Amino acid sequence: MTPRYDGIVIGGGVNGLVAATVLARAGRKILLLERRDGIGGQVRSTEFAPGFKSAALTGDAGWLPSGVVRAVRLAVPELVLPEATLAVRADEREWLVLSRDLGRSAETIRRYSARDAQAWAGFCTRLAKHAGFLAALYQLPPPDIDAARPGELLPLLGLAWKLRGLGRRDMVELLRTVPLAVQELLDDEFESEPLKAAIAASAIRELRQGPRSGGTAFGLLHSQVGAAPGAIRGSGYWKAGPDALAAALAAAARTSGVEIRAGAEVAAVLAREDRVTGVALAHGEEIQSPVVLSSLDPARTLLGLVDPVWLDPEFLLAVRNIKFRGSVVKVSYALDALPDFAGLPGGSTDLTGTLSLSGSLLELERAADAAKYGRISERPHVEVQLPSLRWPDLAPSGKHVLVAHAQWAPFRLRNGSWDAETREALGDRISQTIEQAAPGFGALVREREVLTPADLAQRYGLTEGALNHGEMGLDQILFMRPVAGAARYAMPLSGLYLCGAGAHPGYGSSGGPGWLAAKRVLSDV
Amino acid sequence: MLKTTPFHSRTAPLVQGQAWRRWAGYMVASAYELLHEREYAAIRNSAALLDVSPLYKYLVTGPDAVRLLDRMVTRNVTKCGLNQVMYTTWCDVRGKVIDDGTISRLGERQFRLTSAEPNLRWLSLNAAGLDAAIEEVSERIGALALQGPLSRAILAQLCDADLAGLKYFRLLQTTARGIPLTISRTGYTGDLGFELWVDASRAVELWDLLVQAGTAYGITPAGIWALDLARIEAGLVMLDVDYHSAQHALIPAQESSPLELGLEWTVSWDKGPYNGRSALRAERERGAAWRLAGLAVDWESLESLYREVGLPPQLPGIAWRTSVPVYRGGRQIGYASSGCWSPLLKQFLALAHLQAPHFAPGTPVRFELTVEHRRLQADARVVKLPFYDPARKRA
Amino acid sequence: MPQRYDAILIGGGHNALVAAAYLARAGRRVVVLERRPLVGGAAVTEEIFPGFKFSVFSYVVSLLRPEIIRDLELPRHGLQILPLESTVVPLDNGDHLGLWSDPDQSRRELARHSPLDAEAAPLFGRLMHHMAMAVKPILAMVPPDPTSLAPSDLRGMLRFAGHFRSLGAERFHALHKLMTMASADYLDEWFELDCLKATKAASGIIGTFLGPRSPGSAYVLLHHYMGEIDGAFRAWGFQKGGTGAISEAIASAARAAGAEIRTEAPVERVLVRNGRATGVALGSGEELAAPVVVSGLDPRRTFLELVDRALLPEDVVTAIERFKFRGSSGKVNLALSELPNFSCLPGPGPHLRGAISISPSVDYLERAYDDAKYGEFSREPYMDVAIPSMIDPGMAPPGKHVLSAFVQYAPYQLNGGWSDARREAFGDAVVNTLARYAPNLPGAIIGRQVITPVDIERITGLSEGNIFQGELALSQLFFLRPLPAWASYRTPIRGYWQCGAGTHPGGGIMGASGRLAALEILKGSRA
């Protein structure tokens, strides 16, 4: 007889750990199952070449909502906030470096446009205000249009009040901004191309669209949630290492009494009489529990783990219609020495942030065009980080790790497939792009690991290699996430909950979905 | 142009009054003769030959064929034996009927589903994640209904199969003078009868054979008007006439559950999960708010309404399909969706949707009747369906 | 002493004419001032070549509000809309996709390409029906100011919010998707047939500077369905005599109600005294006085050209400067010696009485957009082609024909700018593209008129040649059209009103902006 649990959490990433901890802290007996042999999911670092490690997917700390910290009594690891957050390559020997400090950024911007320098602080303040509104929205369950319980209407009224509290000008601006293309927003504000490109690159990360697509201005707001005004890509990093958050969360989970089993792949969610009864593991073992929370993405959970006969065909259609469209490639490079990014003024101190190699909106847009037709960008948009500057342990002494994030390389290729040849050809293309910004880079490369969307899908169990568990577009957020009518964590199979980034508030909020999903479970059972 | 059925070259010359109508994008005969009365009479007295090819037909095959159908429809398909046919409804997740039709088990992993409306999309949605293939064979298969007391005798002329042993809602595969054929003991008339399923390329041959063999037995090609009278007498509902598909209804009030249609017998309460199960269970728990029932209009009452204006009763010769209000105690408690003067029962009959609790057999109600441009009410009472149920149907 | 009126309307487009008619019917002394020799704005019929008449710019009607038709008794004044039978899409493989008015015929044709889509089409239609029902009350609402605490605006916002709540979750969610998605993505959820998706998506990009794969383009899909819920059996049609005859009918209704209409009377500026509009000054120097001045021009002209921008708050000026026009479509009008012979459906046939849509695939449309995005006209553009002389033989000499091609994309901001040579090159691209599907076409052309966004701007005055007086994008709809706080047809200058398509709901030959503005003006003057 296998032990009985009050709840099983599938997946040991940040959201799974948070959900498990919140439930365990409420006295529930919780089992967390992780397919891979270590927990941490996307925030976990791996050795990709002998002696070289990288956290290929998330180098930055991201936004950790205060509600999550409180709910799991998290001992928040120490954060480092580098001054230079984002440098964009303006041309062959010119970089525009944005800093945490509004004034300092304005000074840099002034070299390109005095008008833009003047507008910078105002723009950043407004952006932060708008992002602040989103942050509030992201710490509540998604609004329910059919809200039956009066208690649920109160936080919504609070939000409406907060929206009004933005003031007339900002409120209108927010309403107008959200559906805009980020390029339209930026064209209204600025004239300097590198500046616009730097900001736009944040808006289109992990989206299939380019900066001229509608709704990408929302992408910008979303990327700034939790950030200080002007800190574009400025969430900083964990001082102790890329795995610090996973370790802290795992510690919190264990302290709370969560039982964690790694190397335990769930093959199916079991059900009887329209209710969840537990899970079956890949090796055949069955574990009983009336509640199952899945932090896997909605398609993996609902199409992959649940016998379709338990679910409404229309609902399953809606799940199949979720836009994942992973089109990001991650490349980890093992380097013999620090590359020389020609012309970067601060030298290595500017290298602890993010470097974006696309200096104009046009480059971004052209790179995005290919994805619309199911092709890989001829000239991909590449951003790089040098994690070994943050954490020297990641590489042998004197050696370095460079992680490149490139777009666009669609999971579904119209012609061809993601075989080794395609993968390495793309790797070469990315290397060449870096070579242009850092002459001599190629000679420093000892080894590289290219993770295409197909590899990401495979290694991390992500549908279509989508890191975000479904694009964060206006039609897939709030009450539309993961699908309309099932946005409040409870799935249409009684006892099954979604607690990963595929649920509100989605990708970019560390532990937010896990926390809110656990709260939902506590109010249900 | 509308589509024509595989039998068109034979049926077209017979349509004396050019009385055609649309059925699922096909043109079919409303009546062959100028009056449809003899065609109806053949259904009840000899044998009528009806071209029912416009029915939608799907072949469902594969290891999960049973699971697919069972999760889709309300009947328990796991209990459907080889060569058995089941009439069933299927619902959406809210337990509202999408369509009704028959499921024939042609093989261990092979079924044929017939339906009134196209269901390829719904079948495909239900099949997602299951190992089953769906093939639409509507145009590939011609379908004839041979209905009437002498239908068995006619078929016996043409094939050696054990027709006497073919039970109600069973099928057999055979050949008729070399034409491969599936014969099911099914129909839409409530009488003894068979439906014949033949490859479209052999359709005309089969028609000719049947007509030839049946002439001595009074075989009569019959159109939709005759069929409509028979199916109302048999208490059989028709999609888009007596109810609307949940997929096409514009408002919830236009939708019906199987319970509301009096088809509770097609709903299995103890089988595995299927679309609408929890909704139907809940509905059974609280009792259906509506029910489709038979109405028989009181002849004296009807006659007196006409007599008042100096007329004998004026009733249409074909079935009507307009909504007619039904009252009780001065309040509208439902509506009739189709009805007819039954030539056999000599009664004015209707199929009506009645609110609870007014659908118990014997309940007296008032039926709206327009007599010389005035809306009046005649007495009627609720009767159990079917109105007409001859023993030979099952025997 | 200037001539005095109760209200002056600037511009003789259909919205201003509608507003004038409503005001005149309410007993106001009204004058409409039109710069050109004929009224109609972008809805005009002109004989470009002897014997050949064209709806020069806008060419089909679907959305003209039925209440306007009834209120103004437009059929008495010559309105007669003839049904458009079908949409046929020639495909690159020599086949075609036909969408016919008869449901059985349409289903059969669709099933020939995709049985699944044939089934999905009516379900999609049902959803669109519901969405149109959901949107219709909003079209008839004067947009409230969401930031205002004035009781009327709060009431308006509550009504607005209440309306959405009353839809129920399912329809609200569906509407949300429609408002936020890309038309191609939206259609992907319903259909598998690429040419069908492309043809439907095409209606989502008309008049916008978005590609079918850009979020925000799905909303315009609804326009196709809006007409149908108004009890019109067929939504799309041609006006007998061209769209100019619609303008004439409205003008005639306005005149019958006592309105004065002056053509060749360009307004130079709006006269403002002490923050109040007092009248207008004409190009001729003549001045007319009225306590109510209504501009039917687009927001840029209304706010930044007709009045001194110094009279307006700075944020209003900024907002109007940011209002997006970006005209993206052109028009090619052809006089033909014979009917085009489409290879996919050779010879004459019912398809020539309907629309021919050059939209063979979503990629095709997207590529057309990519050209325009980078400042070129589409080498192979999307086209909505019609042969009005097939429906209304009076449009061309007997046996001859007129063909109208609405063409997208043709960006207003062309690399290097539009010139006569570029215009003709654009015309060539259109004719060459059409010739791929109807090879006899080039030889049949007796006259060709090519209209670029710059021409639209020059002739009709529409800024950047945008046919909707400003893009129909989510950031420019409802209380954001043309700008927040001034979406209720008023302007910061008392007595100065707006009634063009640049106000809610805008777009197409609807007349709704003109009607709502007139009703709002009448409400104001009663109070």
Side-chain angles (χ1 to χ4, degrees), chain B residues 138-151:
Chain B
S138 303
E139 296 194 10
R140 240 175 54 199
I141 295 181
L144 286 176
L146 184 63
Q147 303 278 308
L150 304 183
S151 53

Side-chain angles (χ1 to χ4, degrees), chain C residues 374-398:
Chain C
Y374 299 120
E376 299 295 330
F377 58 77
S378 310
R379 283 160 292 182
E380 294 184 304
Y382 158 65
M383 276 181 263
D384 189 31
V385 177
I387 308 169
S389 50
M390 280 296 287
I391 294 169
D392 178 4
M395 298 296 280

Side-chain angles (χ1 to χ4, degrees), chain A residues 146 164 168 171-173 176 180 184 188 209 212 214 325 362 365-366 369 372-373 414 474-475 480, chain C residues 145-147 169 176-177 180-181 185 213-215 322 326 363 366-367 370 373-374 475 484-485:
Chain A
D146 279 346
R164 272 187 186 276
R168 181 192 186 94
M171 173 188 167
V172 165
E173 204 51 40
R176 189 187 84 93
L180 280 182
E184 294 167 346
D188 286 343
Q209 289 91 305
R212 285 189 193 228
R325 309 199 291 202
L362 192 65
E365 187 67 27
R366 286 208 187 273
D369 280 347
K372 294 192 295 190
Y373 306 100
R414 190 79 59 83
L474 290 176
D475 57 318
M480 307 300 286
Chain C
D145 176 359
T147 66
H176 178 94
K177 285 179 102 154
T180 53
M181 286 180 75
D185 291 336
R213 293 204 170 100
S214 172
R322 289 194 310 201
R326 302 193 299 189
D363 275 0
E366 192 68 32
R367 277 195 302 268
D370 280 347
K373 192 165 78 167
Y374 299 120
S475 57

Side-chain angles (χ1 to χ4, degrees), chain C residues 474-493:
Chain C
L474 208 48
S475 57
Q476 301 193 154
L477 288 181
F478 201 50
F479 48 63
L480 297 173
R481 192 166 188 88
L483 76 164
W486 302 110
S488 57
Y489 311 101
R490 292 168 179 80
T491 72
I493 297 166

Side-chain angles (χ1 to χ4, degrees), chain A residues 272-275 303 307-318 320-321 492, chain B residues 67 71 92-93 121-122 124-126 128-130 247 271 273-275 277-278 281:
Chain A
R272 254 195 66 215
E273 286 297 305
D274 298 321
R275 278 209 60 89
L303 306 178
D307 186 336
V309 301
W310 295 110
L311 297 167
D312 172 20
E314 298 277 7
F315 172 76
L316 290 172
L317 174 66
R320 286 200 301 279
N321 279 333
Chain B
R67 261 162 70 72
R71 70 94 93 232
D92 67 7
V93 71
R121 182 174 189 270
W122 187 239
S124 308
L125 289 187
N126 277 274
L130 299 177
Q247 293 198 325
K271 71 165 186 165
Y274 59 91
N275 301 326
R277 183 169 75 166
S278 4
R281 282 179 176 175

